[in-house]
Amino acid sequence: MGLAVSVSRLFSMKSGAAPATVETTLSVRFWGTRGSIACPGHEYERYGGNTSCLEVRCGDHLLIFDAGTGLRPLGLELAVEAQGNDTAEGVAADIFLTHTHVDHISGVPFFAPLFDPASRINMHAGHLLPEKNLHDVLCKFMSAPLFPVPPQIFAAKVDFLDFRAGHTLHPGPGIELRTAPLNHPNGATGYRVSFAGKSICYITDTEHRPGVPDENILALIAGADFVIYDSSYTDEEFPRYVNWGHSTWQEGARLVERADAGQLVIFHHDPSHDDAFMDGVAEAAERLRPGTLVAREGMLLEP
């Protein structure tokens, strides 16, 4: 999918110029679907082994959700597309993190646009204030003895923007981004992107309480077109992982049904769940809630 003309170009058009065609498509492409740790190997080929990363297009505006290992291949594609543009503009993107556990930020040092002086990258987090902030957390992550070079090596214009989960953000023209706190160790943020009358929810990492629907999540996903949900476990596996901060695909189905939302997208596949296991999940989910999807790397969805 080609990198669209950046929002800044639309606003910098000279008066009297022909009006630009405004793109109103909302889409999401999956670059990383795995939870906890990247999983290479042929047994993960169909559903993917990279950790969490989504590319969301709101017309011409690029939003990226989470920065796991899937951020690296996304960045390589964006860099190639930027080089092919007929302008000197780099990549303009907003990166929204659910949280800063390592599987959700490990792609940051390998995101090619961060090394392009023409690129403009905003990085957002809603779970750190008031004790911490995103800039300091990423500096600590990219520091000795854990990493050889600090974030100061980035050549792009990078802004680190903290907010509090529960706030509503407007990262671009016509884009509403509602947020909510999630039940995860050290905190996490759920997101709902609304654009051109359509909506996509991204709810990971979160742990449910059996028999007690999460009201924060229900309010966030009510009536949404797609709900991408932390489905690390099955209901049968869940009792072995209480307090690990994750949920099940069956709980996702229950929430989507209760919230009168559209399609459930099963996401954040556990490292122990290879392609054969996920095939079984897909079949069971289709029987329970027809139309349910299992996220695969490269999958593109448009509400």
Side-chain angles (χ1 to χ4, degrees):
M1 184 164 55
L3 183 64
V5 179
S6 70
V7 172
S8 60
R9 284 186 63 189
L10 296 180
F11 285 109
S12 64
M13 292 176 58
K14 296 180 180 179
S15 59
T21 300
V22 178
E23 175 61 58
T24 58
T25 299
L26 175 65
S27 67
V28 56
R29 186 187 296 272
F30 294 82
W31 290 88
T33 61
R34 191 65 50 178
S36 302
I37 190 169
C39 297
H42 65 86
E43 65 269 37
Y44 300 101
E45 286 177 352
R46 286 187 286 110
Y47 291 93
N50 278 308
T51 60
S52 302
C53 183
L54 308 183
E55 172 193 3
V56 174
R57 298 281 181 165
C58 299
D60 297 321
H61 202 93
L62 171 61
L63 309 180
I64 298 170
F65 288 89
D66 275 331
T69 59
L71 187 67
R72 179 180 178 273
L74 169 57
L76 294 175
E77 178 164 301
L78 293 175
V80 169
E81 291 170 347
Q83 290 173 1
N85 288 344
D86 58 358
T87 71
E89 293 183 354
V91 173
D94 286 274
I95 300 177
F96 292 92
L97 301 176
T98 55
H99 62 305
T100 45
H101 286 165
V102 68
D103 55 317
H104 290 254
I105 62 170
S106 54
V108 169
F110 308 98
F111 185 52
L114 286 171
F115 298 89
D116 176 11
S119 291
R120 301 168 310 286
I121 309 296
N122 298 319
M123 301 190 69
H124 309 255
H127 68 294
L128 294 169
L129 295 177
E131 292 86 3
K132 298 178 175 63
N133 64 74
L134 182 56
H135 176 266
D136 289 352
V137 168
L138 289 179
C139 284
K140 186 174 182 179
F141 169 61
M142 294 179 62
S143 66
L146 303 175
F147 204 80
V149 290
Q152 284 74 19
I153 64 167
F154 297 149
K157 183 182 185 301
V158 184
D159 287 321
F160 300 90
L161 305 169
D162 292 275
F163 64 94
R164 293 179 185 268
H167 288 182
T168 297
L169 311 175
H170 297 88
I175 305 170
E176 180 184 79
L177 186 61
R178 290 172 53 197
T179 71
L182 300 179
N183 181 30
H184 192 66
N186 314 125
T189 303
Y191 295 94
R192 178 183 178 131
V193 185
S194 297
F195 179 72
K198 303 292 184 179
S199 56
I200 296 171
C201 294
Y202 180 50
I203 312 297
T204 198
D205 295 26
T206 191
E207 180 170 334
H208 69 281
R209 293 173 56 200
V212 184
D214 189 317
E215 295 297 332
N216 284 332
I217 293 176
L218 287 174
L220 192 64
I221 70 174
D225 294 290
F226 287 116
V227 178
I228 302 162
Y229 185 76
D230 179 351
S231 305
S232 296
Y233 312 124
T234 65
D235 276 355
E236 294 73 24
E237 293 172 320
F238 180 75
R240 303 199 301 270
Y241 299 102
V242 172
N243 296 326
W244 286 47
H246 297 290
S247 191
T248 71
W249 69 264
Q250 291 101 326
E251 181 66 13
R254 290 186 285 266
L255 288 168
V256 168
E257 185 70 24
R258 190 180 183 98
D260 194 26
Q263 284 183 284
L264 169 66
V265 184
I266 292 170
F267 181 78
H268 204 269
H269 313 322
D270 188 77
S272 67
H273 295 173
D274 60 11
D275 286 347
F277 188 98
M278 295 309 302
D279 284 343
V281 169
E283 293 172 4
E286 177 63 23
R287 290 194 299 269
L288 179 66
R289 185 177 174 83
T292 295
L293 301 171
V294 178
R296 300 172 181 241
E297 281 186 28
M299 186 168 73
L300 174 67
L301 301 177
E302 294 182 2

